[in-house]
Amino acid sequence: MKRNRTALAVVRKTGRGVLVMLLVTLAIVVLMASAPGSVAEVILGQNATKANVAALNKELGVDKPVFEQYTQWLSHALRGDLGTSPLTHQSVTTAIAERLPVTLELTVLAVLMALVLAVVFAVACASWPGSPLDRALTAVSSVFLSVPAFIAGPVLIYFLSVRLGWFPVMGWTPIGAGFGENLRAAIMPSLSIALVEIAAFHRLLRTDLIGTLGEDFIGAARARGMSRAYVMFRHAFRPSSLSLVTMVGLSIGRLVGATAVAETLFSLPGLGQLLITSIGSRDVVMVQGMVAFTGIVCVAVNTLADIGYGVVDPRVRRVAAA
Amino acid sequence: MTEQSSSEQKDPRAVKPEPLLHVTHLRAYLSSRHGVVKAVDDVSFEVGHGEAMGLVGESGSGKSVMSRAIMGLMPRRSDRTGSVLFKGRELIGLPRKEMSEIWGPQISMVFQDPGRSLNPVVPVERQLTEGMRRHLGLGRSEARGRALQLLREVGVSDPERRLRNYPHEMSGGMCQRVMIAAALACEPDLLIADEPTTALDVTIQRQILDLLRRVQRERNMSMILISHNLPLVAGRTDRTAVMYAGRLAETGSTRQVFESPRHRYTAALLAATPTITHERHSPFRLIPGTLPNPVKPPAGCRFAARCDHFHGPCHELGPDMTPVAAGHHVACADPVPAPAAVGARGGEHDGR
């Protein structure tokens, strides 16, 4: 009975994820088709004749109706073949596999930094709400919230690389070439995209913590003589982190866009950079494959966040399965 | 305020015993948008060893704030003055770290709504054992064993299973039994029960109050039982204090207060209590008016505006209470005349 309901919930969530994937990939085909220019023009260059362009378009199959292009792509994609770029002649899956480690590391590092800093900030603020410390930290996070990565990046480069020389100005060192060096290359780009997330997580958790600390069960735990730190971390933290779990799930989607900015800014060989160059050269195959891939990641992460709900709050376990 | 008149003491050389809890001139002010709320305004009383005191009064009279002021669990923007002596030690001004050594093994508390005073995301076992592990230094399995014993003591069936439960998997009455078990875990000398049954079913209310009274007696623990439900308190306490608008109106043995109330407010409150013998379709005797403004309470007796025996001296009445019988004190300028002899000592009023 209980198992049936859980299974049903999993099926329903998976179904929803598949639907999202179909819509996203379809939307990309339509958008790319309606954008001016084509990959044939990019390949053949400025001096190509119209006839040449049309011939190449026919060869690449981009002259067919949009829907036919899409079903064709889909039937290949379902078999794990995301196609080959007509421009670079590289298989899309290979290109993704090559660049994924960079983007993955940036994203994971950004989420980790954002979580650690936000938790420290939020706990400090919620412990003394309305205090000068609370107001100062909230002001700092307001600044973070309003500084986009393309401004935070150059500022960080100026101070931490140019003036202090702690980190390289740009470029990437793979993990294989030494963990320390790799981390040095990754920290600044991650931090520049993490700032907004720090602020968002901090504000959310601070408000939820203050709300929770006013609950009767916190008073009851204090009345049992439990220490401040124990009450904060063993009683208040978990019930306060529900919305944070959702927020982290959503932020991973946002970070995919943000990594594109950071990778361009710091010249890192990641997915975001490839995506931007591919869009510029109207490389539909490459764009399509990458969108499909990041879509799967986003859907998976948000499903994980849903499951995380149940781990954090036992009351959700039933509801989620219902 | 156990025995105050010296004539009662059998041994003339005996020094008056130190009460467990001695509250004097306690004030607890809360700041609100409307100004400073004088929730507790100059209250003095005592609770003896092994004694159960009922604290009654209508909603908004300051009972709950008083319990928190004694406990030291005041909201952030609040001010507490006066003296709270517990075993001769002043609790007001004690740093939080030292207070947390008192909370649990010395004084503990049962709250109003059991559904909200248990952490919804923490299993029962941890909420029961964390206090014992901290204060008594017990290991995991020892604390677990004691938790099972406590659950049996408070009448929880299948305690093994309950330890694994989360609060939402239990009924309100069951949650309150768990809360009581957690409050008893470190064997406190004083248990403060703040409206422990208000959020519960009528049928469960009695069971919970009887349970509190039973463990209080068995453990020879002191208890302050706060309630707005007079008949429920009557049968389960040794003494009763009546609170009105931040002050105490009357204190005495439960029998004295319920059988021969001397304060006009107590008398009116008792007359307004519906009973099972109340004649059908006859009107209740209500107390006209409402509680005075807690930001600017009136000078003198705070009940004056609603009292049908109000006259001049009422406005000059201070917060101090005057004895009207052994152990029976009243703050009233024109008390209800004393009825024919009523036992000054002890005894429960038979609660309904």
Side-chain angles (χ1 to χ4, degrees):
Chain A
M1 186 62 192
K2 201 175 172 185
R3 183 166 294 174
N4 273 347
R5 270 197 281 161
T6 317
L8 195 72
V10 170
V11 167
R12 204 187 299 169
K13 268 182 191 148
T14 317
R16 230 178 275 166
V18 169
L19 191 68
V20 169
M21 292 302 309
L22 289 177
L23 288 176
V24 168
T25 45
L26 179 62
I28 282 299
V29 179
V30 173
L31 281 174
M32 290 295 282
S34 50
S38 70
V39 72
E41 282 168 40
V42 177
I43 294 172
L44 297 173
Q46 296 253 300
N47 304 323
T49 63
K50 284 211 167 150
N52 283 347
V53 169
L56 188 54
N57 273 341
K58 195 175 168 96
E59 198 189 316
L60 296 172
V62 285
D63 61 329
K64 287 183 205 157
V66 169
F67 194 72
E68 203 187 317
Q69 284 185 46
Y70 179 64
T71 48
Q72 210 166 37
W73 174 84
L74 193 63
S75 73
H76 282 105
L78 288 177
R79 279 171 275 162
D81 173 20
L82 290 175
T84 305
S85 163
L87 206 61
T88 61
H89 303 290
Q90 193 183 23
S91 125
V92 175
T93 39
T94 316
I96 289 176
E98 240 170 43
R99 285 156 177 268
L100 180 63
V102 177
T103 305
L104 192 68
E105 189 179 341
L106 288 186
T107 312
V108 169
L109 212 55
V111 170
L112 282 182
M113 280 199 287
L115 271 178
V116 169
L117 286 173
V119 166
V120 171
F121 278 25
V123 166
C125 289
S127 300
W128 299 279
S131 67
L133 177 74
D134 176 26
R135 270 177 280 167
L137 287 177
T138 308
V140 167
S141 85
S142 293
V143 173
F144 287 176
L145 199 59
S146 47
V147 176
F150 58 82
I151 293 180
V155 171
L156 287 173
I157 291 174
Y158 179 71
F159 285 105
L160 301 186
S161 303
V162 179
R163 297 287 292 265
L164 294 168
W166 290 352
F167 303 104
V169 175
M170 54 175 61
W172 184 252
T173 317
I175 295 194
F179 185 67
E181 278 306 303
N182 164 259
L183 209 59
R184 253 165 56 92
I187 270 186
M188 273 207 311
S190 309
L191 187 61
S192 68
I193 56 173
L195 289 181
V196 174
E197 309 301 329
I198 294 171
F201 296 174
H202 164 225
R203 301 197 143 208
L204 192 71
L205 186 59
R206 174 190 174 273
T207 311
D208 285 352
L209 272 176
I210 289 174
T212 306
L213 288 172
E215 295 277 352
D216 286 355
F217 61 79
I218 295 297
R222 275 189 200 133
R224 269 177 242 139
M226 307 319 291
S227 70
R228 256 171 187 284
Y230 185 94
V231 170
M232 177 63 83
F233 289 103
R234 300 285 282 164
H235 277 286
F237 194 79
R238 219 148 80 123
S240 309
S241 55
L242 274 177
S243 355
L244 188 67
V245 170
T246 315
M247 188 71 136
V248 171
L250 292 174
S251 87
I252 290 184
R254 269 203 308 265
L255 283 172
V256 169
T259 46
V261 175
E263 284 164 12
T264 310
L265 210 61
F266 291 88
S267 347
L268 309 177
L271 283 180
Q273 205 192 37
L274 177 63
L275 183 65
I276 287 177
T277 44
S278 305
I279 291 173
S281 54
R282 300 287 178 270
D283 190 344
V284 186
V285 180
M286 192 59 93
V287 172
Q288 183 79 341
M290 283 179 28
V291 167
F293 175 76
T294 47
I296 286 178
V297 172
C298 284
V299 169
V301 163
N302 282 299
T303 309
L304 277 178
D306 280 354
I307 296 167
Y309 252 50
V311 176
V312 173
D313 190 337
R315 289 168 301 179
V316 181
R317 277 169 218 171
R318 270 193 201 159
V319 187
Chain B
M1 221 169 299
T2 31
E3 294 312 311
Q4 296 231 326
S5 60
S6 54
S7 63
E8 286 268 317
Q9 283 172 358
K10 282 171 192 127
D11 186 350
R13 288 164 305 170
V15 188
K16 193 183 148 209
E18 176 86 36
L20 182 74
L21 180 75
H22 190 153
V23 175
T24 37
H25 302 299
L26 181 64
R27 287 187 170 86
Y29 292 177
L30 315 171
S31 48
S32 77
R33 274 182 302 146
H34 308 287
V36 177
V37 173
K38 298 175 175 173
V40 177
D41 200 10
D42 202 334
V43 165
S44 306
F45 67 93
E46 293 173 6
V47 178
H49 293 270
E51 185 177 71
M53 188 185 91
L55 180 61
V56 299
E58 58 195 281
S59 306
S61 58
K63 311 182 295 285
S64 269
V65 178
M66 181 141 95
S67 69
R68 279 161 178 74
I70 294 168
M71 198 64 187
L73 280 175
M74 295 283 285
R76 223 158 253 286
R77 271 180 280 269
S78 63
D79 189 29
R80 184 172 65 133
T81 60
S83 162
V84 176
L85 282 177
F86 180 78
K87 292 182 175 173
R89 187 174 181 199
E90 180 58 63
L91 297 189
I92 289 187
L94 212 59
R96 197 208 133 106
K97 213 170 179 130
E98 283 175 55
M99 272 317 294
S100 69
E101 299 299 321
I102 289 175
W103 291 332
Q106 306 276 336
I107 310 179
S108 72
M109 193 156 175
V110 175
F111 294 81
Q112 182 163 346
D113 187 346
R116 296 178 51 190
S117 47
L118 283 170
N119 193 329
V121 305
V122 176
V124 164
E125 175 165 357
R126 176 146 76 81
Q127 307 199 49
L128 261 175
T129 54
E130 60 188 9
M132 295 189 273
R133 298 188 64 177
R134 172 173 158 84
H135 297 293
L136 310 180
L138 298 185
R140 201 189 185 95
S141 58
E142 283 173 300
R144 192 185 148 84
R146 265 192 57 116
L148 290 171
Q149 209 177 312
L150 281 162
L151 286 179
R152 275 184 216 110
E153 186 181 346
V154 297
V156 169
S157 57
D158 200 357
E160 299 268 356
R161 193 165 65 95
R162 290 294 170 215
L163 283 186
R164 291 191 302 270
N165 275 162
Y166 285 94
H168 71 274
E169 296 167 327
M170 303 189 297
S171 67
M174 202 55 80
C175 285
Q176 195 62 303
R177 284 175 197 271
V178 168
M179 277 307 291
I180 292 171
L184 295 175
C186 298
E187 312 207 319
D189 296 304
L190 174 65
L191 178 70
I192 302 177
D194 181 13
E195 302 260 12
T197 60
T198 308
L200 300 178
D201 260 313
V202 185
T203 46
I204 309 295
Q205 288 190 352
R206 252 156 243 230
Q207 295 175 14
I208 294 291
L209 288 171
D210 288 339
L211 166 68
L212 282 170
R213 178 60 159 166
R214 196 191 83 220
V215 294
Q216 179 256 325
R217 280 188 160 160
E218 282 172 2
R219 293 168 170 245
N220 197 27
M221 174 179 75
S222 301
M223 176 166 80
I224 299 178
L225 178 61
I226 299 172
S227 182
H228 64 270
N229 192 331
L230 274 67
L232 283 182
V233 168
R236 297 165 181 95
T237 53
D238 306 304
R239 292 194 318 114
T240 296
V242 181
M243 196 164 182
Y244 183 80
R247 290 226 169 123
L248 287 186
E250 182 163 2
T251 60
S253 76
T254 297
R255 166 169 285 199
Q256 285 168 336
V257 172
F258 279 83
E259 287 185 3
S260 60
R262 303 297 302 277
H263 197 288
R264 296 287 172 184
Y265 172 64
T266 317
L269 200 60
L270 286 171
T273 307
T275 63
I276 202 146
T277 53
H278 189 84
E279 204 171 319
R280 277 175 148 206
H281 306 301
S282 65
F284 284 129
R285 290 174 55 191
L286 301 174
I287 306 175
T290 54
L291 279 168
N293 181 354
V295 175
K296 268 187 254 164
C301 177
R302 294 187 172 177
F303 187 59
R306 301 169 77 180
C307 185
D308 48 10
H309 287 76
F310 150 76
H311 50 83
C314 293
H315 282 317
E316 277 119 54
L317 195 78
D320 294 331
M321 301 214 280
T322 46
V324 289
H328 193 177
H329 292 67
V330 169
C332 185
D334 181 17
V336 181
V342 171
R345 254 317 259 167
E348 288 175 31
H349 178 270
D350 33 308
R352 284 162 290 238

